[in-house]
Structure formats: C-alpha cells, structure tokens
Amino acid sequence: MKRPLSKPFTPYYRGRFAPSPSGPLHYGSLVTAVASYLQARCNRGLWQLRIEDIDPPREQKGAVRDILSSLRAFGFDWDGSVLYQSHRLAYYRHIAEQLHKHHLAFYCECSRKQLMKSPETRLGRLYEGKCRKLGLPSLTGHTLRMRVDKEHIKFNDGVFGVQSYDLLTDSGDYIVYRGDQLPSYTLAVSLDDLQQGYTELVRGADLLHLSARQLHLMQQFNRQLPQLLHIPIITDANGQKLSKQHYATALDTRHSSFLLYCALKDLGQEPPKYLCYRSINYIWNWAYSHWRVSSIAPEMSIKQGF
Ligand code: GLU
C-alpha cells in the first residue's frame, strides 16, 4: 500500500488502534481505526495495533482473529507485531505494587454496594476516601486506588479543544487494580500508551471523560504525555452506541469500499460518491491527500450514515 509522500517527514508521530476482543470489528470501530490510521500515516508516523484482552468474561472466542482479518481486508497495515495486554499482566501488577509502595495508591475494602450508599457518592464524588488512612494490605477483594487530591487536569483535545477537569469531583480516588486481581482499564491503557511512546491517542469520544484520570496517572512517571484526539462515536438509528455489547453487526468485508467511503463521510471528509465504486487502495490514496482533522465534528456522537 502506498503511503502519502507530500507531507514533510515527521518521524516522531506514533499512534495506535486498541480494540477489545469482545466481538468482531463493527462499523463504529472501523471509523475509529480509519481516523487513527490516517492521522498516523498522514504524519508519516507509526501505527500499531494493541489488543485489549484483559477482561476475559467480556471476550468472545475467535474475536481477535476476526478483528485482524477484517482490518487486513480493509487494507490496514500495522507496524511491528500486535501487542496483547494479556501478555503484560505481571508488569501491570508490578507497577501497581510500586504505586502502593510510594504511597501514591492505597488498598480499599469498600464494596460497590457500600459506596453506592455513601452520601459523597450520591453528591457525584465517587469515593470519599474512607480507606485512605487504614493502611490495608493487598488481599483478594481489596481494590487499589490512586490517591487524588485537588488536582486540576487540563488538555487540548485535537477535536474537542480545551478540556478541563477537577479530578476530585470527576473521579475521586480511582481504581488502578481490581479486587479480582486484574489491572483496571485505566492502569493498563495508561502504562501501555506511555511505554510504547505514543505521541497521540485517537479514540472514541465515549472515553473522553476517562482521559483526566489517565493523564493524572501518566504524570506520575515523568514521561512525555501523548496528545489526545477524540472522535464522535457512531450510534444506530435509536441513538444507541454501536458496540459489541449491543451486538453491532460484524462488518461485511465484501462491501469494504462502500464502508470505507461511509467511514470517511462520517469523519467529515466529504469523499466524492464515486469512491464507493473504487478499490480500497484507491480510496486510501484519496484519503491520504484529503485528510483533515479540522473537518471532524466536535460531537459526542453521530448517527450511522447508512
Ligand atoms: N479498547 C477500547 C475500545 O475498544 C479503546 C481504548 C483506547 O483507545 O484507549 O473501545
């Protein structure tokens, strides 16, 4: 596959696409993959693939294979080998222990039920700090929470502009390691994104509200933080997010040109109609020379356009 040559060479861009294998690739994830791929390739950067497979109950057998073969059918080519979060569980655990050792995190015995009864929780602060000073040990059933004080997190999203969060009221002491001995989504994603040195994270706007805690966690490691760029999520006609949990239909790769055309359209790129009838390679080459982030609508969601 040809890559665009017209832009100046900026070797520092590193991007990724990080699907969870809870089902086959659906149209919503295709749109995210297209946006992150075009951002990477049009910046002459790297694009990697990470499989977020650390939540076994939500995984579907064969989903990884389906996702990879759909991506290939749509003409995506990723750099290096695919990264699997499930291969990094010992590392996540080690970092969680370090956070505890350095008093940045504490163990908590509160059950979800207890927390729901707390007046603080009802006021919108998700954790009132009950276990902060108890010095609880690491035991199955105990969650590990980051200690959050009055922290103000501000960042400039590539689509949504300046975002500003008061972490104490937005998330409170958030979980980094779960009681069932698995890393939280926030811990795994933040560590991977930092360690792989991604310069920009392109992903669905449903994750925008989690960005503040991810940036907060990343700040603890003294590394360059990535830029963030959130794109609208795709909903069905009833306004329901297309997701594997809601049985969004798998992509029919026999219609890959049409679906790729639709993805570009939903990303505000105004592709000409005739592209539907062209090859995948032709459409990618059109996209390379027309890609404009500023054309993406700064909306949380948009309805699937077909
Ligand atoms: N695994 C997440 C998903 O499938 C994406 C995580 C991310 O891009 O940060 O929605």
Side-chain angles (χ1 to χ4, degrees):
M1 166 127 344
K2 268 204 207 145
R3 298 202 182 143
L5 295 171
S6 51
K7 297 268 163 64
F9 182 60
T10 49
Y12 301 116
Y13 189 102
R14 292 174 69 92
R16 51 57 164 187
F17 174 56
S20 309
S22 44
L25 198 73
H26 57 75
Y27 180 69
S29 21
L30 175 71
V31 174
T32 308
V34 168
S36 68
Y37 191 65
L38 285 172
Q39 260 301 80
R41 295 310 188 212
C42 291
N43 282 290
R44 309 278 297 134
L46 287 180
W47 189 74
Q48 292 191 309
L49 206 54
R50 178 171 78 222
I51 301 292
E52 305 210 316
D53 55 348
I54 47 166
D55 201 354
R58 294 174 78 178
E59 275 162 39
Q60 204 185 82
K61 215 164 166 255
V64 174
R65 201 193 48 228
D66 284 358
I67 291 173
L68 299 185
S69 74
S70 298
L71 288 172
R72 279 192 203 99
F74 279 93
F76 292 94
D77 58 338
W78 48 91
D79 294 299
S81 43
V82 179
L83 308 168
Y84 290 87
Q85 287 190 324
S86 59
H87 298 175
R88 289 164 56 77
L89 292 173
Y91 173 69
Y92 302 137
R93 183 173 184 98
H94 169 71
I95 297 292
E97 281 162 3
Q98 293 296 310
L99 290 170
H100 180 243
K101 193 170 148 206
H102 289 93
H103 308 290
L104 294 167
F106 62 92
Y107 285 101
C108 168
E109 62 183 356
C110 300
S111 66
R112 192 183 287 249
K113 217 165 159 191
Q114 282 169 319
L115 291 176
M116 290 316 287
K117 282 188 196 149
S118 133
E120 294 272 9
T121 308
R122 276 188 259 122
L123 284 174
R125 216 179 109 181
L126 300 187
Y127 183 73
E128 86 285 24
K130 180 180 154 284
C131 298
R132 267 182 172 217
K133 297 207 174 85
L134 299 185
L136 293 169
S138 159
L139 283 182
T140 303
H142 285 180
T143 52
L144 183 67
R145 289 179 180 274
M146 278 305 276
R147 200 180 286 276
V148 171
D149 292 307
K150 267 199 178 311
E151 321 258 2
H152 196 73
I153 304 280
K154 203 170 167 184
F155 61 93
N156 194 0
D157 186 87
V159 167
F160 287 83
V162 176
Q163 303 292 305
S164 153
Y165 291 87
D166 178 352
L167 205 54
L168 202 56
T169 46
D170 171 57
S171 79
D173 299 330
Y174 57 90
I175 295 176
V176 282
Y177 210 75
R178 298 172 7 180
D180 58 3
Q181 303 299 302
L182 282 172
S184 70
Y185 166 77
T186 300
L187 182 75
V189 169
S190 309
L191 292 181
D192 290 345
D193 287 336
L194 264 194
Q195 211 186 29
Q196 298 301 321
Y198 296 128
T199 54
E200 185 174 67
L201 313 181
V202 178
R203 57 191 196 169
D206 53 330
L207 297 171
L208 187 60
H209 72 289
L210 293 178
S211 303
R213 69 185 77 170
Q214 279 173 241
L215 290 174
H216 173 256
L217 186 56
M218 287 180 181
Q219 280 169 4
Q220 316 303 321
F221 299 92
N222 268 334
R223 292 254 194 117
Q224 182 73 32
L225 302 184
Q227 298 291 316
L228 298 175
L229 190 157
H230 289 85
I231 61 162
I233 57 158
I234 307 294
T235 63
D236 61 19
N238 305 319
Q240 182 87 53
K241 182 192 171 204
L242 293 188
S243 73
K244 294 151 195 161
Q245 283 79 16
H246 290 106
Y247 308 104
T249 40
L251 292 171
D252 185 343
T253 49
R254 287 172 306 175
H255 304 302
S256 51
S257 291
F258 172 70
L259 291 165
L260 191 52
Y261 159 84
C262 292
L264 290 169
K265 196 157 181 268
D266 284 342
L267 286 165
Q269 305 300 305
E270 298 181 3
K273 190 84 212 269
Y274 73 85
L275 284 187
C276 293
Y277 310 105
R278 297 297 168 100
S279 69
I280 283 287
N281 265 354
Y282 188 99
I283 303 176
W284 279 122
N285 284 329
W286 181 92
Y288 291 146
S289 46
H290 290 83
W291 175 243
R292 261 210 209 102
V293 168
S294 57
S295 301
I296 303 174
E299 308 208 3
M300 290 307 283
S301 65
I302 48 175
K303 279 208 176 107
Q304 186 174 350
F306 59 91

